[in-house]
Amino acid sequence: MSFLDLKNVTKIYPNGTKAVHETSLSVDEGEFMVFVGPSGCGKSTLLRMVAGLEDITEGDINLDGKLMNEVDPSERDVAMVFQNYALYPHMNVYNNLAYGLKNRGIDKQTIEQKVNDAAKLLQISDYLQRKPSMLSGGQRQRVAMGRAIVRNPKIFLFDEPLSNLDAKLRIQMRLEIKKLQQKVGVTSIFVTHDQVEAMTLADRLAVINNGIIEQLGTPIEIYDNPKSLFVAGFIGSPQMNFLDGNLKNKTLSAEGFEIKDINSDHEGEVTLGIRPEHLSQTENGLINLKVDLVEQLGSDNLVYGQLKDKKDFCYRCPGNQTIEKNSNLSLNIDNNKYYIFDKSTGKRVN
Amino acid sequence: MKFKPLQIIAHIILILGVLLMVVPIWISFASSSHDSVTILTEGMKFHIGDQLARNYNEVLNEKGGWSEEVTAAKMFINSFIMALGIATLKVVISAMSAYALVYYRFKLAVPIFWLIFITLLVPLEVRIFPSYKIVSDLGLTNSYTGLILPLVASATATFFFRQFYKTIPDELLESAKLDGANAWSFFIDFLVPLSKTMIAAMFIFMFVYGYSQYLWPLIMTTAEEYWTVVMGMKIIYTESYEGVALPRTAERFAYIILSMIPPVLVVVFLQKWFIKGLIQTEK
Ligand SMILES: Nc1ncnc2c1ncn2[C@@H]1O[C@H](COP(=O)(O)OP(=O)(O)OP(=O)(O)O)[C@@H](O)[C@H]1O
Ligand SMILES: [Mg+2]
């Protein structure tokens, strides 16, 4: 049994909403697990069940070898960082950090030691006497982290802790969280709907959709090998291009081109997926793109245009290529890097 | 600095308001420093007279009542104890029952809340006979317990605390739980400090409410040692001397001024807290 073990966990809210369906998942000790998925897919619900803040309708949660289903949150030894931080407004930073330790009956000197250590680690030593209302967003974020770290819990839970920060700070804090987790080595679960955050932080990633884990794996596995249309569309930025097609006798025919010798015996209506970065310009390529717009990001250019059938399409090329608006590009797919999904089930077939 | 016309008008209105509040008190105070005969013959006074010490000394120390034993000082103490007991218990009980109503999601929470709320329609004056019967059956007449206990439930304060607790985000409770807080420590470590402004305000209102009770102590007490200030006011008014009904007007004023001191002290003392809570926005 691994460190955290979810077995067939289901959550049905009293109003009948089924937020999580029979989900099973194992997290190893010291691992950084990220739950990613669109809004309302049940990420928070799953996390809150681990914390004990929601009852488990069905299934079992084991933490460090102990069944947690009936254990009160205060006894679980987990720490959570909330989206709005939930700092204690009437206590100064020191007491915010110390509160959890006091409740454990730890003696004053040890508490002071631990709080000061955590504060140093998070660079908040200068604010220990301030109330949370006198801190900036980034500082509050650090205090929230400090409150989690200082108790040295079995597991850290993060529920979209970065979404209240501005873009630059978010990237900085993302890096710090990752570094911190590696330094402290505590098992962590991080919930986000931002796929870049998910990719950069995760040791392993669980892509959740409609209360089901669609795919579980390392970020690269999931990027290289999405198992369903949903995962393919969700992971990767800019989004994967999707084209309608028909698969018959190992030949895929889409509007305007064909791909032969496909590694699949599937037949019928399919969706072809191609990542914008898996294309390159050649003469007489498969795909003809009429350019509408070019976004120059410096390192890359994002080329948006339309195919013959007016379908929107995106192509990503190195920033040193100049591409004219309204020009026609001829593109080939790199190295068979395309994905074919059954149109009705969304399952990968190649 | 120049004042705009609107500001001038606003200040005039405010000053008038202040005068309206202060002048009667000043007149009472000034009148309490004259001889009763002077006031009876010349009317109320605006300036301080020479009988101040004598009048106040008399009010505080003269023994009155049928038994000639109860003093005004004793009545102040009684009222103070009664008001303090009522205010403290009202605040404690309302805060705790509101806590139960908001944080324990049992099925009957809403009906129970409305039941408490409906008691607003049945003030003590309406239920005075049943209340008296119960208190006297319990043998609590002529005791502080009897004076205080029937008045300690408060629908208004429960309502205000409930509304306040509902504005506290759930994450705070959840966060506290994960930090190992139990139901009791969440109340003491979070709700009480967060609502201290509210507690101070409620305490002031409830203190004044308790202090100004008239009917209940009147019915409840037969022994003079439990008389309260408001009762005393009436008794002093009707006091007469050996057939000659000579109202002791100056002492009456002195008594009124003295009777205002305890509530004023409570307000002054708690105001610091009250304003502190208002200035520090703790979000
Ligand atoms: N207390 C509740 N009662 C009933 N339904 C709820 C409750 N909380 C959440 N839900 C529902 O459960 C589903 C999953 O909610 P959840 O909060 O887990 O989503 P999420 O993935 O965290 O979304 P977001 O990214 O927006 O935070 C949603 O459909 C939501 O409407
Ligand atoms: Mg959520």
Side-chain angles (χ1 to χ4, degrees), chain B residues 75-117:
Chain B
M75 289 193 268
F76 290 143
I77 293 169
N78 284 346
S79 280
F80 191 78
I81 291 174
M82 181 181 174
L84 196 69
I86 289 176
T88 311
L89 288 174
K90 259 183 191 289
V91 168
V92 170
I93 290 172
S94 326
M96 288 173 85
S97 44
Y99 177 48
L101 286 173
V102 174
Y103 286 95
Y104 290 82
R105 306 240 160 85
F106 54 103
K107 266 189 201 149
L108 290 176
V110 175
I112 286 180
F113 171 69
W114 285 110
L115 205 66
I116 293 176
F117 205 65

Side-chain angles (χ1 to χ4, degrees), chain A residues 13-20 37-46 48 54 83 159-160 191-193:
Chain A
Y13 278 108
N15 69 356
T17 313
K18 198 165 183 181
V20 174
S39 187
C41 69
K43 313 179 287 290
S44 297
T45 306
L46 202 55
R48 292 165 57 80
E54 298 288 352
Q83 182 171 355
D159 195 350
E160 309 204 22
V191 162
T192 176
H193 58 245

Side-chain angles (χ1 to χ4, degrees), chain A residues 107-175:
Chain A
D107 68 275
K108 251 195 173 146
Q109 245 167 355
T110 320
I111 291 180
E112 200 173 326
Q113 177 84 40
K114 287 189 174 203
V115 171
N116 286 333
D117 287 351
K120 205 181 273 171
L121 192 65
L122 287 154
Q123 299 160 358
I124 49 173
S125 303
D126 293 344
Y127 321 120
L128 283 178
Q129 298 310 320
R130 291 204 202 167
K131 294 268 178 75
S133 56
M134 297 153 79
L135 298 175
S136 72
Q139 290 163 346
R140 284 179 209 191
Q141 170 67 53
R142 280 167 212 266
V143 175
M145 297 273 303
R147 203 170 56 181
I149 284 175
V150 77
R151 276 182 20 218
N152 195 16
K154 288 199 178 120
I155 190 163
F156 280 170
L157 307 173
F158 300 87
D159 195 350
E160 309 204 22
L162 304 180
S163 53
N164 282 349
L165 303 177
D166 65 63
K168 202 171 157 202
L169 198 56
R170 195 182 308 174
I171 293 172
Q172 186 193 335
M173 285 309 295
R174 186 170 85 200
L175 209 68

Side-chain angles (χ1 to χ4, degrees), chain A residues 225 262-264 266 336 338-341 347-350:
Chain A
N225 222 341
I262 281 172
N263 181 22
S264 168
H266 188 84
N336 292 339
Y338 52 76
Y339 308 94
I340 301 172
F341 305 95
K347 287 263 175 318
R348 177 91 175 273
V349 295
N350 74 326

Side-chain angles (χ1 to χ4, degrees), chain A residues 292-340:
Chain A
D292 287 336
L293 183 85
V294 182
E295 283 182 359
Q296 293 181 309
L297 304 180
S299 59
D300 292 310
N301 288 335
L302 298 181
V303 182
Y304 295 94
Q306 291 180 339
L307 303 184
K308 270 194 198 123
D309 56 348
K310 302 276 178 224
K311 198 124 172 86
D312 289 331
F313 200 83
C314 175
Y315 160 52
R316 180 178 197 155
C317 68
N320 54 16
Q321 292 183 14
T322 11
I323 288 170
E324 298 288 328
K325 208 179 146 191
N326 289 329
S327 60
N328 278 299
L329 302 182
S330 165
L331 304 172
N332 251 351
I333 304 169
D334 294 345
N335 239 343
N336 292 339
K337 280 191 178 161
Y338 52 76
Y339 308 94
I340 301 172

Side-chain angles (χ1 to χ4, degrees), chain B residues 20-37:
Chain B
L20 200 68
M21 305 289 277
V22 169
V23 167
I25 295 176
W26 175 253
I27 292 180
S28 309
F29 180 66
S31 304
S32 73
S33 64
H34 288 268
D35 197 56
S36 288
V37 182

